[in-house]
Amino acid sequence: MPPGYKRTPLYTAHVSASARMVPFAGWEMPISFPSGIIAEHRAVRSSAGIFDVSHMGRLELRGAMAGAFLDTVLTADIPRLTEGRARYTFVLREDGGILDDCIIYKLKPERFLLICNASRRDEVVAWLVERFPYPPPQFIDRTEGTVMIACQGPAARDLVVGLLDSDVDELMPYSNKEMDVGGRRILVARTGYTGEDGMEIIAPGEMSTLLWERLRQKGATPCGLGARDTLRLEAGLRLYGQDMDTSTNPLEAGLERFVEFSKASFIGREALLNTRERGVARKLVGLEILGRSIPRHGYAILSDGQPVGAVASGSYAPTLDKNIAMGYVPTGLSAPGTKLWVDIRGKPVEAVVAHMPFYSRTRPLAPAGR
């Protein structure tokens, strides 16, 4: 492993479990455990898996003006966000390009927690600090002092409720609750990134092994970034750096519903309004590959033998037992059912534009075997 990479509070537990560690966004993270990516993926769909997501940014803002400030830099309507609730939102540049996609939690009337991507943490912090009003809100970067564990799957909620022995079973989706456990303050949120129900726990770093091992002993399967990627792709959840970046806006990415245009102003609003008025030239679509070849990020998407776009994310989908992808194509080629091709290692492979998400919780599981 190259020097200089950060380690989460669970690093030793991962190494002891013989996890395959890889560099990711400046951190040493488990890509998979000995059970393998497909087994981990299926465990989340059928029961529960646990993910170390401590590499993600956890930025707290406090003070009388914290909410008003966040309302200017996020696409969510912060004044309408009630205490104990959360929203998926964007930090946009003035030109509407996506600086990051985040989750904003309202902890108290004057306390907020912004969860950003690990790869974007430095940029988001710099962006916020440059735009702080005077006097600025109290800002605390809690990333490296805490652990963040995601427990996902149909059994995940019961595991977390049993672990914490509290009333978190009453948490609605996209809600959060702070509580004291063993004299330590932790946050529990009912969010996720797999297409399944589940909860995320943010706790002091010294509680990391205790929480991880107890969830594992209750039956949760340790999972790495590999399973997290195939799960989120099946669920049609975008990944920053592949499915969107600063050259992409939420309208192109098919995420307009997370932009509150009713707000009087936020950074990027005017650019998005202009884009919406004239229409987008390209859209992110789902692709079902008609064959056994696996599409990967950057592969060309073809129409009539000519490149018209590129694959953003692609993989084998264990739940569906097929190969799928997301990619940007001209708007005129974005309708479901449109036939396209993907250049996979020099060979055009037929694909069809598919509805997203590829997987929803009600869809039956494909038989195991691959």
Side-chain angles (χ1 to χ4, degrees), residues 186-199:
I186 71 169
L187 176 73
V188 181
R190 195 171 176 183
T191 56
Y193 190 56
T194 63
E196 301 296 335
D197 191 11
M199 292 186 171

Side-chain angles (χ1 to χ4, degrees), residues 19-62:
R20 181 185 165 207
M21 306 299 289
V22 298
F24 180 82
W27 296 76
E28 286 186 64
M29 299 298 296
I31 188 75
S32 64
F33 290 82
S35 57
I37 291 174
I38 292 179
E40 294 167 19
H41 181 114
R42 292 189 184 282
V44 173
R45 290 281 183 251
S46 62
S47 181
I50 44 176
F51 301 82
D52 179 8
V53 289
S54 305
H55 59 310
M56 300 187 72
R58 294 177 287 284
L59 312 175
E60 182 173 336
L61 290 91
R62 295 184 176 197

Side-chain angles (χ1 to χ4, degrees), residues 26 57 64 106 114 123 125 127 132 135 137 158 176 182 184 194 199 202-203 215 223 321 327-328 357 367 369:
K106 186 169 185 176
L114 187 68
E123 286 77 5
V125 169
W127 185 265
F132 275 166
D158 289 343
N176 66 85
R184 299 301 184 103
T194 63
M199 292 186 171
I202 298 174
L215 286 167
C223 300
D321 192 25
Y328 283 93

Side-chain angles (χ1 to χ4, degrees), residues 16 287 334 367:
S16 297
L287 293 171
S334 64

